[in-house]
């Protein structure tokens, strides 16, 4: 096993993800609240309600496939089925998949814990060097691992400070569009 593979597995915590190609999820429950996600897509991206609903349904169907999913295939389907510009489709899919994955990770970490769960915010694939996420990481590095609500507040605060930030998406763990950071559970050394 190479160093990159070891580090990737360490941050993935066994969820089977890779660096952006086809992904399998192992224990992650990637369910999509279709009506909530559709409303978010309408509000955030300005898509018509019917298109946003259809896009949320596509996300739900693709992310829950037994054989995994590939973001590029979801983008192609959205572009084809909804007549959405390819760049916008890529932004929506990347952003919403990241949100669904992060929320699923939080649910899994909470289910595995006996109560107090603390989190860190990490760049899972080494490609997201956004100032927004750098600020979120700095907040956590300075104060230590955070609760879910503290993470959401760190995201909200950092996103407010940057033009590309999306403070309104803090509940979805999205500090900016196309974010590739992920939430990881902090474990204390024994």
């Amino acid at each position: 096993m190479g160093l990159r593979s070891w580090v990737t597995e360490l941050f993935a915590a066994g969820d089977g993800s890779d660096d952006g190609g086809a992904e399998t999820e192992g224990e992650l429950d990637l369910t999509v609240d279709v009506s909530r996600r559709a409303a978010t897509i309408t509000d955030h991206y300005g898509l018509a309600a019917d298109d946003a609903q259809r896009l949320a349904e596509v996300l739900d169907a693709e992310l829950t496939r037994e054989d995994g999913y590939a973001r590029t295939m979801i983008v192609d389907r959205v572009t084809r089925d909804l007549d959405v510009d390819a760049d916008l489709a890529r932004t929506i899919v990347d952003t919403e998949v990241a949100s669904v994955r992060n929320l699923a990770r939080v649910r899994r970490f909470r289910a595995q814990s006996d109560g107090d769960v603390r989190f860190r915010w990490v760049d899972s694939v080494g490609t997201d060097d956004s100032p927004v996420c750098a600020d979120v990481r700095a907040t956590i590095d300075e104060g230590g691992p955070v609760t879910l609500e503290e993470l959401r507040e760190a995201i909200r605060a950092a996103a407010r400070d940057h033009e590309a930030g999306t403070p309104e998406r803090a509940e979805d763990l999205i500090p900016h569009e196309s974010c590739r950071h992920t939430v990881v559970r902090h474990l204390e050394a024994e």
Side-chain angles (χ1 to χ4, degrees):
M1 169 183 290
L3 180 59
R4 181 181 174 148
S5 297
W6 179 79
V7 170
T8 300
E9 285 184 22
L10 176 70
F11 286 131
D15 71 3
S17 66
D18 64 9
D19 63 356
E23 301 179 31
T24 58
E25 296 306 329
E27 297 177 31
L28 282 184
D29 176 18
L30 296 181
T31 57
V32 176
D33 179 339
V34 173
S35 60
R36 181 180 176 282
R37 190 67 53 175
T40 298
I41 291 168
T42 297
D43 292 345
H44 187 76
Y45 303 100
L47 261 61
D50 289 345
D51 287 343
Q53 177 73 24
R54 179 68 184 126
L55 200 152
E57 290 168 355
V58 167
L59 284 172
D60 184 44
E62 293 295 327
L63 293 178
T64 57
R65 290 170 38 126
E66 278 189 37
D67 58 345
Y69 68 91
R71 290 180 188 189
T72 55
M73 291 177 67
I74 300 171
V75 169
D76 289 346
R77 184 171 172 192
V78 167
T79 302
R80 182 184 62 246
D81 292 358
L82 300 175
D83 193 32
V84 173
D85 173 76
D87 289 336
L88 177 59
R90 189 174 306 103
T91 297
I92 294 171
V93 169
D94 285 349
T95 304
E96 300 311 313
V97 167
S99 173
V100 170
R101 287 179 50 83
N102 278 331
L103 293 171
R105 291 173 66 84
V106 166
R107 282 192 307 273
R108 182 176 70 185
F109 296 146
R110 284 182 153 177
Q112 293 171 341
S113 78
D114 57 356
D116 185 37
V117 181
R118 298 277 176 176
F119 301 102
R120 291 203 173 269
W121 190 245
V122 300
D123 181 356
S124 63
V125 295
T127 59
D128 183 2
D129 56 358
S130 76
V132 181
C133 282
D135 285 358
V136 173
R137 282 192 323 271
T139 297
I140 295 170
D141 289 347
E142 289 171 16
V146 295
T147 65
L148 179 58
E149 286 313 310
E150 292 168 333
L151 175 59
R152 285 180 168 143
E153 186 50 41
I155 288 171
R156 191 174 290 108
R160 279 188 200 119
D161 290 343
H162 297 278
E163 187 177 331
T166 55
E168 71 279 4
R169 300 296 310 274
E171 291 300 310
D172 294 323
L173 303 179
I174 297 297
H176 61 89
E177 290 180 350
S178 300
C179 181
R180 296 300 297 242
H181 272 69
T182 191
V183 60
V184 295
R185 182 178 176 189
H186 175 79
L187 299 172
E188 294 291 331
E190 292 183 23

